[in-house]
Amino acid sequence: MEAIAQFIPLILIFAIMYFLLIRPQQKKMKEHQKMVDALRRGDQVVTAGGMIGKVSKVPGDGNIEVEVADGVKVRVVQNTISAVLNKTEPADAKS
């Protein structure tokens, strides 16, 4: 019985760490992946490097093409997009 009583604090510490650290991080990762999957041409984005640009092509191979200035297009890894500033409207919503 003493052995079980010694493991109770360890189990409580793990449970607290799960609910305060692991679970919120997993939720944040899911939201980021959902945001990245929803990228479309015309969205204004911020990369992890701090560059702001407009998505010009989403080929679907894990990379996207971002126009950072007139005529200057850069290919970036899709998961390095840290934020979407302006979303474009879906094509069917424009009636």
Side-chain angles (χ1 to χ4, degrees), residues 23-85:
R23 191 165 174 243
Q25 186 65 25
Q26 287 176 339
K27 184 178 178 184
K28 186 177 178 181
M29 285 175 54
K30 284 181 184 178
E31 289 174 1
H32 181 263
Q33 190 61 40
K34 188 176 176 182
M35 176 196 66
V36 167
D37 290 339
L39 284 175
R40 288 193 307 258
R41 191 171 157 253
D43 292 347
Q44 190 172 9
V45 296
V46 178
T47 66
M51 291 179 24
I52 299 174
K54 188 177 283 190
V55 177
S56 61
K57 188 190 293 185
V58 183
D61 60 352
N63 296 323
I64 61 171
E65 195 171 279
V66 178
E67 186 173 5
V68 293
D70 291 334
V72 180
K73 296 181 181 179
V74 180
R75 288 188 71 190
V76 296
V77 176
Q78 206 166 10
N79 285 330
T80 62
I81 300 300
S82 59
V84 177
L85 300 177

